[in-house]
């Protein structure tokens, strides 16, 4: 009975994305935690472009609640707004890719 009541509640974002600064060539990881699993239509975006699981973009989920996006080997042009969407829920954060300083 307890489980049934819980399942009827709409999921909420427990912990949203955090803005991240990384250097060129590094990895940037974004994590969003939902209150419970089973939310449909989960999608990640970078500046309005949908992201898909591939060699440079790793998308994973744990227990259906913890959703993680890792962008590997980032370049300056990857700077922008990362958005996580799960049904009606949205969380966004900024990705800032910094160039390596050539000054000594």
């Amino acid at each position: 009975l307890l489980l049934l009541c819980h399942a009827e509640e709409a999921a909420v974002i427990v912990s949203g994305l955090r803005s991240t600064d990384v250097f060129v060539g590094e990895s940037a990881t974004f994590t969003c935690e939902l209150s419970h699993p089973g939310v449909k239509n989960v999608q990640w975006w970078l500046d309005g472009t949908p992201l898909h699981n591939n060699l440079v973009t790793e998308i994973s989920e744990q227990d259906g609640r913890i959703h993680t996006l890792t962008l590997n080997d980032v370049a300056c042009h990857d700077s922008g707004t990362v958005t996580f969407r799960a049904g009606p829920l949205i969380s966004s954060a900024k990705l800032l890719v910094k160039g390596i300083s050539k000054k000594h």
Side-chain angles (χ1 to χ4, degrees):
L1 187 69
L2 209 75
L3 247 123
L4 195 65
C5 294
H6 188 65
E8 288 170 4
E9 293 171 27
V12 294
I13 292 173
V14 178
S15 168
L17 305 185
R18 290 191 181 89
S19 294
T20 304
D21 292 10
V22 292
F23 286 105
V24 168
E26 291 183 343
S27 295
T29 299
F30 295 87
T31 302
C32 191
E33 183 180 343
L34 303 180
S35 56
H36 44 277
V39 180
K40 301 277 185 272
N41 303 327
V42 171
Q43 178 69 62
W44 290 91
W45 310 76
L46 177 57
D47 273 348
T49 303
L51 298 174
H52 302 283
N53 218 356
N54 55 39
L55 288 172
V56 290
T57 308
E58 292 174 36
I59 297 171
S60 64
E61 68 173 64
Q62 197 181 330
D63 305 329
R65 295 189 317 112
I66 299 169
H67 296 265
T68 305
L69 166 71
T70 302
L71 300 171
N72 294 309
D73 196 21
V74 295
C76 286
H77 67 255
D78 291 320
S79 291
T81 302
V82 173
T83 303
F84 170 79
R85 192 169 192 165
L89 306 174
I90 295 180
S91 180
S92 294
K94 294 281 186 200
L95 169 61
L96 177 61
V97 181
K98 299 181 282 195
I100 306 289
S101 174
K102 297 283 188 280
K103 293 175 186 160
H104 292 290

